[in-house]
Amino acid sequence: MSTPRKIIHVDMDAFYASVERRDDARLRGRPLAVAWGGRRSVVLTASYEARPFGVRSAMPLYRALERCPDLLVVPPRFDAYREVSAQIRAVFARYAPLVEPLSLDEAYLDVTAPLRGGPSATRIAGAIRAEIRAETGLTATAGVSVNKFLAKLASGMNKPDGLTVLLPQEVDGLLASLPVGDFHGIGPATAAKLTARGIHTGADLRAASPEQLSAQFGKKGEHFWRIAHGLDDRPVDPDRPHKSIGAEETYGDDLRSVDAVLTRLPVLAEAVERRLARAGLAGRTVVLKLKFSDRAIVTRRVTLPAPVHLAPDLARAAARSLTPELLSGRGVRLAGITAAGLCGLGERPAQPGLFD
């Protein structure tokens, strides 16, 4: 048998908000959100002081202010975040020969054969967290396990400023009792569809066959079955570039009109905005993807004069391709929005938005 991998997932704690608090003492200890101004903006990051009020990433800013009237709001400074991200990645490079950044504040590290720190992945994770704190003044949470899925699951179990190790002998019991909505890669909409089919926990996912899940959820169905068993053979890939960032959703009932699809685009666009923000990117091309009830798939792309990253602009760009002729009377089983032609995200663009 091959030697089990030793994988660490490192995730900075409320990264954008933490950088702002570090650089401005007036923000410390107070509920804080990083967001562009304006009613249509969404929260990019909320400090932990804001979260008891129900303020979360990707929440519309106006709703966050309704829940927390004393919320401080500061605009993002991506140059500052990129500078800190470079410091963090330099720490990773001292320990791990293989580092796969997921965004400015998150990465997988393969320390099966570490560059320093000895054979214990747990001790290496602790040393990395200590060096990040010493060099940046920020805290990081880490998860350690034998594959990427389990390491990421572990890092989400003890935030902020935590370190969690998932040993192979602990995995079965944990995953069996885990609600499906707590599995990384299963969002709220998919979790609702699973629970509607009587699948509430990892144990329920295991009881379903890969064929059953694939029939209902396509390729994702088999993935759901695999992660319910803790299986993930993806390597840590340091050369994995961001070619595109997107989101899609499968619907239990087909969408039968252009208007029905239009109502779903803002939710998809908000998910894409959140992922673009975490990666510090914007896209010049917006792709609309539709899968129909006859399993046919079409994509339409719009290339814009300037990169976009805000949800309303992404949704409007996708909507430009949506016509009755494109649907041709067919029901839409799946819709997706993807940003491509990616580039670094700079300061806040001039408002109003590109399509106003």
Side-chain angles (χ1 to χ4, degrees):
M1 295 180 63
S2 60
T3 302
R5 290 175 176 147
K6 298 177 183 178
I7 307 297
I8 301 172
H9 178 258
V10 180
D11 192 7
M12 300 301 295
D13 298 319
F15 181 53
Y16 299 165
S18 295
V19 173
E20 298 299 335
R21 293 192 313 170
R22 182 198 66 177
D23 294 348
D24 187 346
R26 296 172 298 177
L27 303 177
R28 296 172 191 168
R30 303 175 66 183
L32 171 68
V34 177
W36 285 282
R39 182 174 177 83
R40 7 179 268 178
S41 180
V42 298
V43 175
L44 302 181
T45 304
S47 70
Y48 285 94
E49 292 85 356
R51 298 184 187 189
F53 295 91
V55 178
R56 295 288 187 272
S57 297
M59 174 180 288
L61 180 58
Y62 76 87
R63 189 172 299 159
L65 289 167
E66 288 174 353
R67 295 188 178 187
C68 183
D70 295 327
L71 184 70
L72 299 175
V73 181
V74 299
R77 298 180 298 134
F78 282 97
D79 287 344
Y81 308 150
R82 279 191 283 266
E83 181 179 345
V84 178
S85 180
Q87 291 179 274
I88 295 165
R89 292 183 186 183
V91 174
F92 296 160
R94 296 170 200 159
Y95 289 89
L98 298 173
V99 178
E100 181 182 326
L102 301 178
S103 60
L104 293 176
D105 63 334
E106 181 182 8
Y108 289 114
L109 291 71
D110 188 329
V111 293
T112 309
L115 301 176
R116 59 187 284 196
S120 171
T122 304
R123 290 184 180 178
I124 291 173
I128 288 172
R129 293 174 62 243
E131 289 196 24
I132 288 173
R133 184 192 288 267
E135 296 188 20
T136 70
L138 306 176
T139 63
T141 295
V144 181
S145 197
V146 295
N147 62 44
K148 291 165 75 171
F149 166 72
L150 293 173
K152 186 170 179 68
L153 180 66
S155 72
M157 295 171 63
N158 192 21
K159 288 183 71 72
D161 196 19
L163 172 58
T164 302
V165 181
L166 275 183
L167 300 174
Q169 60 268 30
E170 301 171 333
V171 170
D172 283 349
L174 172 66
L175 296 181
S177 60
L178 199 67
V180 291
D182 289 349
F183 280 80
H184 172 62
I186 298 181
T190 302
K193 293 181 177 68
L194 286 166
T195 56
R197 291 167 169 80
I199 300 174
H200 302 276
T201 65
D204 297 329
L205 272 175
R206 292 181 179 193
S209 70
E211 293 77 17
Q212 289 175 319
L213 293 171
S214 295
Q216 294 176 340
F217 297 97
K219 293 181 180 179
K220 289 184 177 181
E222 183 177 354
H223 172 68
F224 297 159
W225 184 89
R226 288 181 59 81
I227 61 176
H229 289 79
L231 302 175
D232 183 3
D233 57 4
R234 295 172 299 157
V236 172
D237 183 1
D239 299 319
R240 175 179 172 269
H242 279 295
K243 295 182 179 179
S244 62
I245 291 178
E248 60 184 40
E249 183 178 5
T250 300
Y251 306 110
D253 297 319
D254 292 347
L255 308 180
R256 292 288 177 182
S257 68
V258 168
D259 286 343
V261 179
L262 285 173
T263 62
R264 306 302 178 103
L265 295 185
V267 174
L268 294 169
E270 287 174 6
V272 177
E273 177 182 339
R274 181 174 67 252
R275 294 168 188 175
L276 286 169
R278 288 208 66 182
L281 297 170
R284 186 178 291 274
T285 298
V286 177
V287 182
L288 172 68
K289 174 183 176 181
L290 300 177
K291 182 177 181 180
F292 298 102
S293 52
D294 60 4
R295 300 190 178 274
I297 297 175
V298 299
T299 59
R300 294 291 185 270
R301 60 182 57 224
V302 175
T303 298
L304 305 168
V308 295
H309 57 276
L310 297 177
D313 291 339
L314 292 162
R316 290 174 187 176
R320 288 168 64 176
S321 302
L322 188 60
T323 64
E325 292 75 20
L326 184 64
L327 268 60
S328 299
R330 296 173 292 182
V332 174
R333 176 172 296 181
L334 173 149
I337 294 176
T338 297
L342 301 179
C343 60
L345 180 57
E347 296 299 323
R348 175 184 172 182
Q351 297 289 343
L354 183 63
F355 297 99
D356 289 338

